[in-house]
Amino acid sequence: MARERTERAGPGGDAARAPWTPREDRGPVRYGPPAPDPGLPVLPELAGVVAAAAGRSEPEPTGGGEPLREAAAAYWTRRGLRGGPECVAAAPGASPLLLALIAAHGGDVLTPRPCPATWIPQARLLGRPAYHVPTPAECGGVPDPYALLETVRRVRAEGGRPRLLLISVVDDPTATVAPPELVREACEAAVAEGMHIVSDETWRDTLHRPHDTVLLSPAEMCPDDVTVVCDLAGALTPSAWPVAVARFPDTERAAVRHARTLDILTALGALVAGPVAAAAAHALNEPEAVTARVRRAAALQAQVAAAAHRAVLAAGALARPPQAGRHLYADLGPLRARLATRGVTDSLELEEYLTDRLGAPTPGGHRFGDELGALRVRLGTGPLLGSTPEQQMESLTAVEPLKLPHVARALSIFGTALDELR
């Protein structure tokens, strides 16, 4: 019973509080992961690779075929993380891959608060206790080192076995990049306590200001104690083509965990589709067309996210400046009184209110491990780029995308929805 006193991850018993929608329209309370951002239209070069591989009859082996694993190893080598294809495993998306990784490690799971929406459900599915650790004021994705040590101490005092730390240096949901000194301190603290680290680096290629942002992978500092995960839908491939890759340390212990991970992926039937594997390998090799799209998309998101951030601050809400990705994480706590007059008193009600008001999925902070009573929400910037592939491509190629009529209109609706809460 003592163990229950430590703060567990996820929403508490007040989850059944009524949502904002009228009583006759209320459905069941939902805590599952939010729908993924559809992103920009498919790059024609990648579509051509998929079409050329569509006639393949042989399936990909568990963990990915050699061309995919070699491409992933080369991708990481170009980023200073050397290793061969034997240290790589691929899966049809980040969720099954992370599920297999958690299952391959024993013990309890620790995550920063907030954290990606899929992390805690996977730990729960495996019956693993999961605990949130506070993050520092300047960023999300990496726990405060002192809070991490205190959480480890408390969990052990209550009979737990903290063995796995999940972090995201380029963070979803907060869209921030953790400073190198924080990454170092947190990783050193975790390793000193005997924990293995899984570093989700899905968004590392979406930095809004790549020349002004210092990004340090935990695997550069603790190479024997960090497994790196990357969902290619972050920057390289469409979300409709699920594929993710993991890079294991080059050690005997990691080789055992790699083998366990492959066993679990086999049991799940988690195989990357052949045509998707071909496109993923092509994207990971980073031909000019792919890298040019990545650069343009990041530059576009930087402008749109900055405009959305200005609108959030102008309304009196709070948000860290977005540094990467396709969203920002806003705290509407300063607007609590005004929201209460509209029947919005927690993040579930806020999610439904803003989703209805903005006409786009706007997941509340409860999905990311924040307290239900906190009025936090992840605001996606993808819907601001246009509602059709033609509008999205126009946004991507425009010199001044914020002046396009459809982008300006979307930003106006976005700002109005927040301004009316002042």
Side-chain angles (χ1 to χ4, degrees):
M1 293 297 294
R3 195 173 184 185
E4 295 301 320
R5 290 196 297 270
T6 296
E7 183 184 19
R8 290 289 182 91
D14 56 349
R17 186 182 300 176
W20 168 78
T21 48
R23 180 171 301 276
E24 60 271 18
D25 297 330
R26 292 174 185 171
V29 175
R30 298 178 298 279
Y31 286 101
D37 186 337
L40 294 165
V42 176
L43 187 66
E45 184 170 315
L46 291 182
V49 173
V50 169
R56 288 178 49 177
S57 60
E58 70 280 5
E60 282 282 296
T62 301
E66 189 168 350
L68 175 55
R69 291 183 291 107
E70 286 181 343
Y75 166 88
W76 275 307
T77 296
R78 291 191 294 273
R79 286 154 178 79
L81 303 178
R82 299 188 178 277
E86 68 279 1
C87 296
V88 175
S95 291
L97 183 56
L98 186 58
L99 181 72
L101 287 172
I102 295 173
H105 290 77
D108 301 349
V109 178
L110 272 65
T111 76
R113 165 175 264 176
C115 67
T118 59
W119 286 5
I120 299 306
Q122 290 165 0
R124 287 176 175 161
L125 181 62
L126 293 168
R128 298 291 177 81
Y131 302 90
H132 284 302
V133 185
T135 56
E138 66 264 33
C139 69
V142 176
D144 177 88
Y146 297 101
L148 173 63
L149 292 174
E150 175 61 19
T151 302
V152 169
R153 184 195 66 77
R154 285 170 35 225
V155 171
R156 285 180 176 155
E158 295 172 1
R161 296 185 306 127
R163 298 285 298 278
L164 192 64
L165 173 65
L166 308 182
I167 62 176
S168 53
V169 179
V170 184
D171 186 40
D172 173 11
T174 65
T176 57
V177 179
E181 59 273 16
L182 172 65
V183 177
R184 181 181 298 278
E185 292 173 4
C187 290
E188 288 178 348
V191 171
E193 293 296 330
M195 303 181 70
H196 187 76
I197 301 165
V198 173
S199 175
D200 186 338
E201 300 180 11
T202 292
W203 300 99
R204 67 170 300 151
D205 293 324
T206 69
L207 299 182
H208 293 173
R209 297 173 183 82
H211 299 297
D212 301 327
T213 306
V214 179
L215 170 61
L216 185 64
S217 170
E220 297 180 65
M221 295 176 295
C222 306
D224 294 342
D225 299 289
V226 177
T227 298
V228 179
V229 173
C230 180
D231 185 343
L232 302 193
L236 297 175
T237 61
S239 58
W241 304 351
V243 57
V245 288
R247 175 192 177 275
F248 292 79
D250 189 11
T251 65
E252 291 184 6
R253 177 180 295 182
V256 173
R257 291 169 175 162
H258 186 190
R260 289 178 184 168
T261 300
L262 295 180
D263 287 343
I264 296 161
L265 291 174
T266 299
L268 294 173
L271 306 179
V272 181
V276 171
H282 185 80
L284 285 165
N285 283 323
E286 297 183 291
E288 175 57 28
V290 171
T291 56
R293 165 62 75 86
V294 170
R295 287 194 302 268
R296 286 197 299 267
L300 170 62
Q301 293 291 350
Q303 295 186 59
V304 175
H309 182 248
R310 290 192 294 270
V312 169
L313 298 184
L318 304 173
R320 298 183 181 101
Q323 297 174 280
R326 303 190 287 261
H327 51 266
L328 65 155
Y329 199 62
D331 183 353
L332 275 64
L335 309 177
R336 182 178 295 275
R338 182 74 171 179
L339 283 165
T341 65
R342 298 168 183 265
V344 177
T345 60
D346 61 29
S347 65
L348 177 60
E349 295 166 355
L350 180 62
E351 172 184 306
E352 299 209 359
Y353 174 82
L354 286 179
T355 296
D356 178 78
R357 190 68 182 83
L358 297 174
T362 310
H366 59 282
R367 296 183 182 270
F368 308 103
D370 258 331
E371 296 177 357
L372 186 64
L375 294 175
R376 301 191 183 104
V377 66
R378 192 181 74 175
L379 300 166
T381 55
L384 303 176
L385 305 181
S387 58
T388 67
E390 292 76 18
Q391 289 182 342
Q392 294 163 358
M393 287 303 300
E394 187 179 7
S395 300
L396 185 65
T397 56
V399 176
E400 297 181 297
L402 300 186
K403 293 184 178 181
L404 293 174
H406 63 270
V407 175
R409 183 169 55 252
L411 283 169
S412 176
I413 294 172
F414 180 89
T416 300
L418 296 172
D419 281 341
E420 65 187 16
L421 300 175
R422 296 178 66 177

